[in-house]
């Protein structure tokens, strides 16, 4: 089970980030922050990191440890940040079509920040990655779908598939794992968002907790189906291994490239898996930053090729296992990634759903 640790208020977490200004027209009215290690050479990779609901860029960096890993491995970071003016609970608006299209809205602002960082620091355009938690995880999938020309790959933590919800009501249904659709429709949603993209598609890693009560784990399977369809890989052509307590499934394309990965952490709730005291020693436990003995930050970086084989090692050794049954992972529509204890009764259920949607505090 996850060890949540002492809750550290995310707004008061020490910041290692620098404000990013003058990055374009910013149609989504987002804030931007960056982290560039000292003496970063030209041609370094970059990772876009998207926080969850109720979080800030600095708080998510503090909890996940991304900037500390960037110091060790030598890559740049950009942290878009949601504002309360856009969403009262600081959730990226992943369920609003105007914010998840190529042009106009939050997705375009995130792309503008990324392009600005590449130009200012001479970064490698072929090694651009994106990751995020909860609503930030859903927006991660949106970035990969709408800008496959920009991103080589990404990792979604507790997120939802692209193009499956329009508006709050549908978003709540999707978070519960309801309203599934066909594999063809899932893949078509991505192709529509990409506007006729004909190049190579980004790779995607999917992370979720086996005990997530905020976003149903069914969503992890839906995302995997969507991106297996995009890459044209057979669902049955899967390799399975265990990394510590986590179960890891991998699908490869015809070239042998690992294109879709699925990580399930049994017993973990809604949040980012971290390992602050052992192994990688990255991040800090707190609300939605869950010490489960595996650092998703380190594993994602290694999967993206950001960490040399002789550098950061995963906290646990892999061993063959059989697949564990999945439970659904939710990402709130205007979702607060902050789960609340459920009270009995229909009214309490409705209130919890509204809070998850960012419509009620």
């Amino acid at each position: 089970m996850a060890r949540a640790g002492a809750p550290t208020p995310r707004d008061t977490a020490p910041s290692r980030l620098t404000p990013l200004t003058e990055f374009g027209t910013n149609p989504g009215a987002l804030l931007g922050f960056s982290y560039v290690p000292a003496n970063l050479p030209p041609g370094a990779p970059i990772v876009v990191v998207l926080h969850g609901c109720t979080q800030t860029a600095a708080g998510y960096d503090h909890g996940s440890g991304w900037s500390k890993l960037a110091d060790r491995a030598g890559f740049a970071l950009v942290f878009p940040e949601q504002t309360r003016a856009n969403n009262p609970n600081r959730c990226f608006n992943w369920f609003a079509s105007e914010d998840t299209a190529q042009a106009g809205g939050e997705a375009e602002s995130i792309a503008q920040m990324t392009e600005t960082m590449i130009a200012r620091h001479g970064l490698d355009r072929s090694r651009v990655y994106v990751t995020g938690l909860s609503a930030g995880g859903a927006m991660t999938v949106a970035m990969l779908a709408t800008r496959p020309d920009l991103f080589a790959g990404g990792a979604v933590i507790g997120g939802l598939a692209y193009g499956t919800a329009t508006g709050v009501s549908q978003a709540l249904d999707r978070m519960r794992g309801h309203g599934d659709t066909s594999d063809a429709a899932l893949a078509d949603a991505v192709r529509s968002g990409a506007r006729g993209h004909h190049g190579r598609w980004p790779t995607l890693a999917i992370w979720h907790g086996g005990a997530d009560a905020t976003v149903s784990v069914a969503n992890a399977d839906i995302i995997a189906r969507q991106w297996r369809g995009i890459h044209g890989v057979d669902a049955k052509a899967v390799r399975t291994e265990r990394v510590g307590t986590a179960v890891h499934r991998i699908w490869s394309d015809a070239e042998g490239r690992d294109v879709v990965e699925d990580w399930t952490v049994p017993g973990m709730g809604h949040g980012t898996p971290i390992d602050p005291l052992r192994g990688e020693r990255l991040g800090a436990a707190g609300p939605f930053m869950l010490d489960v003995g595996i650092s998703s930050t380190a594993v994602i970086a290694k999967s993206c090729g950001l960490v040399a084989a002789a550098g950061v090692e995963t906290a646990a050794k892999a061993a063959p296992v059989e697949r564990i049954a999945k439970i659904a992972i939710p990402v709130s529509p205007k979702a607060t990634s902050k789960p609340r204890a459920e009270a009995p009764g229909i009214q309490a259920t409705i209130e919890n759903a509204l809070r998850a949607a960012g419509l009620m505090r």
Side-chain angles (χ1 to χ4, degrees):
M1 296 296 291
R3 298 177 293 281
T8 300
R10 283 148 292 181
D11 286 354
T12 60
S15 178
R16 307 183 79 219
L17 311 182
T18 300
L20 178 65
T21 58
E22 299 180 357
F23 54 80
T25 58
N26 191 17
L30 299 177
L31 299 176
F33 297 87
S34 67
Y35 186 81
V36 180
N39 303 315
L40 184 72
I46 181 170
V47 181
V48 179
V49 183
L50 300 170
H51 63 79
C53 297
T54 76
Q55 297 177 319
T56 63
Y60 191 76
D61 176 53
H62 176 72
S64 62
W66 271 106
S67 65
K68 290 188 177 180
L69 184 57
D71 283 336
R72 299 182 202 171
F75 55 85
L77 295 162
V78 60
F79 290 82
E81 183 176 285
Q82 184 60 284
T83 67
R84 293 196 185 280
N86 287 343
N87 186 294
N89 290 296
R90 288 198 180 125
C91 308
F92 291 103
N93 291 307
W94 62 271
F95 57 94
S97 57
E98 64 270 22
D99 281 311
T100 56
Q102 277 188 1
E106 293 173 10
E108 185 179 1
S109 291
I110 294 167
Q112 288 178 350
M113 293 181 204
T114 309
E115 295 279 9
T116 297
M117 288 290 293
I118 293 170
R120 285 183 185 173
H121 300 283
L123 304 175
D124 186 349
R125 293 191 63 88
S126 70
R127 293 191 292 167
V128 182
Y129 302 93
V130 58
T131 184
L133 165 67
S134 192
M139 188 60 80
T140 290
V141 183
M143 297 310 301
L144 297 175
T146 59
R147 292 301 307 271
D149 58 319
L150 178 60
F151 295 100
V156 50
I157 306 173
L160 295 120
Y162 177 72
T164 56
T166 302
V168 173
S169 178
Q170 282 189 350
L172 287 170
D173 274 347
R174 304 305 174 264
M175 289 170 59
R176 299 185 189 104
H178 301 161
D180 195 4
T181 187
S182 69
D183 291 2
L186 288 168
D188 284 346
V190 173
R191 294 189 185 99
S192 176
R195 290 188 178 180
H197 174 71
H198 297 295
R200 175 174 280 193
W201 291 95
T203 61
L204 179 63
I206 304 153
W207 287 75
H208 63 267
D212 192 324
T214 303
V215 178
S216 168
V217 167
N219 287 292
D221 277 326
I222 294 170
I223 299 169
R225 286 166 45 212
Q226 183 174 61
W227 287 82
R228 286 199 305 262
I230 283 295
H231 285 284
V233 298
D234 187 347
K236 297 178 181 178
V238 60
R239 309 192 311 275
T240 305
E241 64 184 13
R242 187 183 297 276
V243 180
T245 62
V247 178
H248 181 207
R249 297 190 298 174
I250 312 104
W251 291 269
S252 302
D253 64 11
E255 301 174 6
R257 186 174 65 129
D258 295 345
V259 291
V260 180
E261 301 178 58
D262 168 49
W263 293 82
T264 301
V265 184
M268 190 183 83
H270 191 61
T272 295
I274 62 170
D275 184 18
L277 301 178
R278 300 161 303 283
E280 313 307 339
R281 296 185 178 275
L282 291 172
F288 311 107
M289 310 306 298
L290 307 178
D291 177 4
V292 291
I294 183 170
S295 169
S296 57
T297 300
V299 175
I300 291 165
K302 188 173 182 181
S303 177
C304 293
L306 302 176
V307 178
V312 176
E313 297 295 333
T314 50
K317 301 297 182 181
V321 299
E322 294 184 358
R323 180 62 179 158
I324 294 176
K326 287 194 171 188
I327 303 169
I329 304 183
V331 160
S332 348
K334 286 179 176 178
T336 76
S337 39
K338 183 172 184 178
R340 300 174 64 97
E342 290 190 11
I346 295 175
Q347 183 60 34
T349 301
I350 293 172
E351 290 180 1
N352 286 340
L354 290 174
R355 290 189 183 97
L359 299 178
M360 177 177 177
R361 300 186 188 183

